[in-house]
Amino acid sequence: MKETTIRESANHYLNRDLSWVEFNWRVLEEAQDVETPLLERVKFLSIVSSNLDEFMSVRVAGVKDQIKAGYTKKDFSGLTPVSLFKRIMKRSVKLVGEQYRVYRDILRLLAREGILFTDYDDLNASQKKQLDQYYHDIVFPVLTPMAVDQSRPFPLVHSQSLYLAVVLLKEGDDPEEEPYFAIVQVPSILPRYIAVPTRVGSKKHEFLLLEQLIERHIHTLFSGYLPLSVSAFRLTRNADLTINEEGAEDLLEEIETQLRKRRWGAPVRLEVRKGIHPYALERLKDEFEIADNIFEIDGPLDLTYFMKLAGSLDGFDHLRYEPVESVYPAELADADDVFEVLKQRDVLVCHPYESFDAVTDFICDAADDPQVLAIKMTLYRVSGNSPLIQALGRAAESGKQVTVVVELRARFDEERNIAWARKLEQAGCHVVYGLVGLKTHAKITLVVRRDKDGLRRYVHVGTGNYNDNTAKLYTDIGLFTSHKEIGEDASALFNEVTGYSAPHHWQAFGVAPADMMEQLFGKIRREADNAAQGKPARIVAKLNSLSNQQMIDELYKASQAGVKIDLIVRGVCCLKPGVAGLSENVTVTSIVDRFLEHSRIFYFENAGDAEVYIASADWMTRNLTRRVELMCPVFDPELRRSLINILQLNLSDNVKARRLLPNGLYERVRPGEGEKPLRSQFEAMDVRSWKTTAREG
């Protein structure tokens, strides 16, 4: 291929990592939005920080590994690792600068509401006395000063923990001599912010950050030395796990070993407080061998603590969104027996507008029903005290065959999943860790029940995790069904994951990595053929991310054939929409609002005989080729209509929607002249706005 052709081809795609940075900008916009309740803006500010932490520890870490290895090949967007890293840094530094500008604005607004983050020196004598006592009684005993000199090497600095770098002068020494250096970890076991005793006659809520209290009393840790400066710093290490599945006799033990190694991952990012002592900065740079990913922060490091603050303040409900009252699905609300309902009809639920209790009840009812013979389920991420775990254990103890596919490699949930796996095994469940080299990301439950007319399979397929906590925060779709083909496919899927089974010819499902991508390509090509023949042709896909080059190329071809394509992509999107001769028939919409848009819904016009699917998979290479994923058709025409209504709500959003431009930036969608504002998430809270009544029988 000629160089000019390579360059032209690269111009067809946006870079995945730069697209992710733009997504985090959209999250920051929610913290900037004056229409967003103040404590909700605080939460979004915190989310920006936690998002950046994961991005740096995984994606940027990978780019730095490529640079270190001397890898110079361009990715499909035309960027080498070096050029990509430079662009990431430039955009990320700007993002962080804007984040802290917003932080200062929010602090001023909080102060007007009587919520203040104060400096120690601004406290009165009584407040100082009580905080001094707190320091000596609670904080001081936990602190460990760690000197760094010839006899004491630099201690291990944990990833994403907060530390203080202390520059010291020994009493009586010449100030011109090289100073002494030490670090102190700010203990994460203690609250990051301390409630300051209320002033007499005041109703204000005052807080002091823990590191400021320690800094004020730093001299208590270094008797005989004079502190010249105290500066906060924070290190981010490479957190990606390298699992040797082939060589691991026990995957659980291998992952536990890798989790311990994570604390020694290579340094990726160094955050320091603006104005840090030059000597301290040089010591840190030398120790971590990092010079090109340093963020000087004009404010407290690590704003993730803001999330807990926003949720813990009492008496400020007027600064929050009104609580959402999730409704129990009407089709199941009055049912004495959920299985009798599902014998007659499929049921579709959309969280958080409809309660996750319907899923919990389905599994709990199956666990307690004497006619149920077996329960099979995948678990990717579950909540800290999941009732589902208890139900599965109860079912196994009662003699039912319970099989649970636990994904131990769910990033940053590995330890929790290991604990649940052991608990399930102790209860008598068959626990399987999936297939070598493939994460099990499909969300499915199969219940085998002895009905009066014989054995029947009942299935729940979801787009999101079996997690009752995130189901209140994420938008997701779930389908309950006893459809024969779906039930048979569900059995085959579990047999492939848990045993030795030849590849199955799927009747209903699309399964990755087996055939989902080819099925999707076939449906996209069919739409292109229909468009070429003048038949109705349209694709609407709701996803979290779109980054697979082959998938993008198929969509480009369909667009060129005349297919109208509307993509609703919350996060990463490497496709360039609206480019003449390439993608002029493609639009990309991103919605960032109160809830995390998480559902995957695929619509294909199919010449007037529409097909609609729900899925666990995004259109990313990892989902389509390196994970066990599931795409399930929705057969009931009324339920399909409900999903189409949800897609239409998203596409009609003119309050929280952004449209992707060909240059990779996004612009807000605003109501047109005479057009009413439509906020899709708020509209969907009235379930009647999208849900149609399913047919009986």
Side-chain angles (χ1 to χ4, degrees):
M1 186 181 289
K2 295 180 181 179
E3 179 62 30
T4 54
T5 309
I6 293 174
R7 189 178 300 114
E8 289 169 0
S9 175
N11 287 335
H12 293 171
Y13 312 100
L14 301 170
N15 178 269
R16 169 182 169 171
D17 294 317
L18 294 176
S19 180
W20 183 92
V21 175
E22 295 311 312
F23 162 66
N24 216 26
W25 272 97
R26 298 196 293 282
V27 176
L28 180 58
E29 285 179 5
E30 293 304 300
Q32 294 171 312
D33 192 339
V34 295
E35 298 298 322
T36 302
L38 185 55
L39 288 180
E40 305 297 339
R41 295 174 65 184
V42 168
K43 289 181 181 179
F44 280 112
L45 205 61
S46 172
I47 293 170
V48 171
S49 290
S50 59
N51 284 351
L52 268 174
D53 283 349
E54 181 172 349
F55 178 67
M56 290 288 170
S57 64
V58 178
R59 296 299 306 176
V60 176
V63 176
K64 292 200 74 171
D65 283 346
Q66 290 180 334
I67 294 172
K68 189 175 181 180
Y71 188 81
T72 58
K73 186 177 178 180
K74 293 180 179 179
D75 63 18
F76 72 87
S77 70
L79 296 177
T80 64
V82 170
S83 59
L84 173 58
F85 179 77
K86 289 179 179 177
R87 293 194 186 194
I88 289 173
M89 278 298 298
K90 182 177 180 180
R91 195 72 175 134
S92 296
V93 167
K94 188 175 181 179
L95 172 69
V96 172
E98 180 63 13
Q99 180 192 15
Y100 277 85
R101 187 196 66 76
V102 176
Y103 164 77
R104 290 186 288 274
D105 287 345
I106 287 177
L107 279 191
R108 287 190 287 270
L109 294 172
L110 287 172
R112 293 179 190 173
E113 298 288 343
I115 305 168
L116 294 88
F117 278 84
T118 188
D119 291 326
Y120 182 90
D121 290 338
D122 294 333
L123 302 176
N124 63 33
S126 175
Q127 290 173 315
K128 288 179 180 178
K129 182 178 180 181
Q130 292 182 69
L131 285 178
D132 291 347
Q133 195 66 47
Y134 176 81
Y135 172 82
H136 289 292
D137 292 347
I138 305 297
V139 181
F140 178 78
V142 181
L143 299 177
T144 302
M146 294 175 283
V148 181
D149 54 29
Q150 291 181 340
S151 64
R152 288 168 289 194
F154 214 104
L156 173 67
V157 171
H158 295 274
S159 183
Q160 295 175 9
S161 291
L162 189 62
Y163 289 82
L164 299 177
V166 187
V167 179
L168 301 148
L169 180 66
K170 192 172 185 178
E171 291 180 355
D173 278 4
D174 185 348
E176 297 300 319
E177 292 184 8
E178 183 176 350
Y180 294 85
F181 183 72
I183 67 172
V184 178
Q185 184 175 10
V186 177
S188 58
I189 199 169
L190 298 177
R192 175 74 185 278
Y193 53 91
I194 306 162
V196 176
T198 306
R199 300 172 191 262
V200 176
S202 173
K203 294 183 179 180
K204 293 181 178 179
H205 296 254
E206 294 183 78
F207 298 95
L208 180 72
L209 290 175
L210 178 58
E211 63 265 31
Q212 294 179 345
L213 184 64
I214 297 171
E215 179 179 350
R216 179 67 184 187
H217 294 84
I218 200 72
H219 61 280
T220 63
L221 299 172
F222 301 100
S223 59
Y225 291 79
L226 299 174
L228 298 180
S229 79
V230 182
S231 305
F233 74 92
R234 186 170 179 261
L235 183 70
T236 299
R237 295 183 180 274
N238 187 329
D240 221 9
L241 300 185
T242 304
I243 308 297
N244 178 20
E245 295 183 61
E246 294 284 359
E249 293 185 15
D250 189 322
L251 182 59
L252 186 146
E253 291 184 2
E254 171 69 11
I255 290 176
E256 285 183 315
T257 299
Q258 292 299 324
L259 285 174
R260 288 191 291 270
K261 289 182 179 179
R262 183 179 271 171
R263 67 188 67 174
W264 286 285
V268 175
R269 171 186 62 167
L270 177 62
E271 297 168 277
V272 298
R273 188 71 186 262
K274 187 175 182 180
I276 185 173
H277 194 287
Y279 181 76
L281 181 58
E282 285 305 311
R283 293 298 300 263
L284 296 175
K285 289 166 62 175
D286 290 346
E287 172 60 27
F288 303 136
E289 297 180 352
I290 190 167
D292 55 2
N293 199 4
I294 299 174
F295 289 76
E296 291 196 26
I297 306 296
D298 188 11
L301 307 189
D302 183 15
L303 296 182
T304 57
Y305 73 90
F306 250 22
M307 180 64 74
K308 186 174 182 180
L309 173 78
S312 63
L313 285 170
D314 292 329
F316 292 93
D317 287 347
H318 63 289
L319 301 181
R320 299 184 175 96
Y321 288 126
E322 291 186 11
V324 173
E325 298 295 334
S326 298
V327 299
Y328 203 89
E331 301 91 331
L332 303 175
D334 298 324
D336 295 327
D337 185 342
V338 64
F339 301 110
E340 284 300 317
V341 174
L342 297 182
K343 282 169 65 175
Q344 304 299 322
R345 69 199 297 185
D346 291 353
V347 175
L348 187 79
V349 294
C350 181
H351 313 299
Y353 315 117
E354 293 182 297
S355 174
F356 190 77
D357 289 346
V359 180
T360 303
D361 290 347
F362 172 71
I363 295 168
C364 288
D365 287 353
D368 298 329
D369 188 333
Q371 300 308 314
V372 169
L373 305 179
I375 303 173
K376 301 183 181 185
M377 186 176 186
T378 59
L379 286 181
Y380 191 75
R381 300 185 197 272
V382 293
S383 63
N385 188 28
S386 174
L388 302 182
I389 300 294
Q390 300 168 28
L392 293 170
R394 194 166 65 246
E397 289 167 352
S398 70
K400 293 178 173 64
Q401 289 288 313
V402 179
T403 304
V404 187
V405 181
V406 178
E407 183 46 72
L408 297 178
R409 295 155 295 184
R411 186 178 287 140
F412 303 121
D413 274 338
E414 299 95 344
E415 291 178 272
R416 177 180 293 169
N417 285 6
I418 287 170
W420 288 132
R422 289 203 166 111
K423 185 173 182 179
L424 289 166
E425 286 180 326
Q426 290 168 2
C429 300
H430 300 295
V431 178
V432 179
Y433 302 137
L435 299 170
V436 171
L438 300 175
K439 281 187 178 181
T440 303
H441 194 247
K443 287 82 163 106
I444 183 170
T445 299
L446 169 65
V447 174
V448 181
R449 187 175 189 265
R450 185 192 296 110
D451 289 346
K452 292 178 182 179
D453 55 350
L455 288 184
R456 183 176 271 103
R457 299 175 178 91
Y458 296 89
V459 179
H460 173 267
V461 177
T463 65
N465 299 309
Y466 288 108
N467 187 315
D468 52 307
N469 288 336
T470 57
K472 300 171 186 174
L473 306 172
Y474 297 4
T475 68
D476 271 307
I477 302 295
L479 174 69
F480 295 97
T481 182
S482 63
H483 194 284
K484 186 174 182 293
E485 292 181 0
I486 290 177
E488 290 174 355
D489 276 3
S491 288
L493 177 63
F494 278 104
N495 288 343
E496 284 201 13
V497 173
T498 64
Y500 295 109
S501 291
H504 182 68
H505 177 69
W506 306 105
Q507 302 175 75
F509 288 171
V511 176
D515 72 341
M516 185 190 294
M517 184 155 66
E518 286 306 316
Q519 278 200 38
L520 289 167
F521 287 172
K523 295 177 190 305
I524 294 170
R525 291 165 187 165
R526 182 188 62 196
E527 295 300 316
D529 290 341
N530 287 341
Q533 297 172 40
K535 298 178 182 178
R538 191 182 182 199
I539 297 169
V540 184
K542 179 177 170 63
L543 308 155
N544 296 328
S545 300
L546 169 59
S547 62
N548 179 268
Q549 184 180 4
Q550 291 174 274
M551 185 67 72
I552 294 169
D553 288 343
E554 292 292 338
L555 293 170
Y556 283 157
K557 292 174 187 175
S559 170
Q560 292 161 25
V563 180
K564 178 75 168 68
I565 303 172
D566 292 304
L567 304 174
I568 306 162
V569 187
R570 184 199 76 221
V572 170
C573 183
C574 298
L575 178 149
K576 287 186 176 182
V579 177
L582 180 70
S583 59
E584 64 262 48
N585 289 315
V586 184
T587 68
V588 178
T589 301
S590 172
I591 296 173
V592 180
D593 200 352
R594 174 177 183 172
F595 305 118
L596 183 80
E597 292 287 342
H598 193 254
S599 51
R600 290 92 167 183
I601 307 170
F602 312 148
Y603 168 89
F604 300 95
E605 179 70 28
N606 190 28
D609 186 15
E611 295 178 349
V612 182
Y613 297 81
I614 63 172
S616 61
D618 293 312
W619 290 354
M620 304 176 74
T621 301
R622 70 182 187 192
N623 297 98
L624 299 171
T625 64
R626 299 195 299 274
R627 291 184 172 187
V628 178
E629 301 274 14
L630 177 59
M631 179 176 75
C632 178
V634 176
F635 289 119
D636 187 287
E638 297 299 328
L639 301 190
R640 286 202 299 266
R641 171 52 55 189
S642 293
L643 291 172
I644 293 168
N645 290 342
I646 290 173
L647 295 175
Q648 191 56 51
L649 270 181
N650 286 174
L651 293 173
S652 301
D653 193 308
N654 53 26
V655 177
K656 291 296 183 180
R658 286 87 163 170
R659 286 279 154 74
L660 175 59
L661 304 175
N663 63 2
L665 300 179
Y666 287 75
E667 65 178 7
R668 297 292 287 256
V669 178
R670 297 299 186 190
E673 186 176 350
E675 187 179 18
K676 292 182 179 180
L678 191 150
R679 190 170 177 177
S680 57
Q681 289 189 0
F682 281 35
E683 191 78 13
M685 290 179 192
D686 181 355
V687 174
R688 295 169 299 180
S689 69
W690 55 269
K691 194 162 194 176
T692 54
T693 304
R695 295 179 304 171
E696 297 289 343

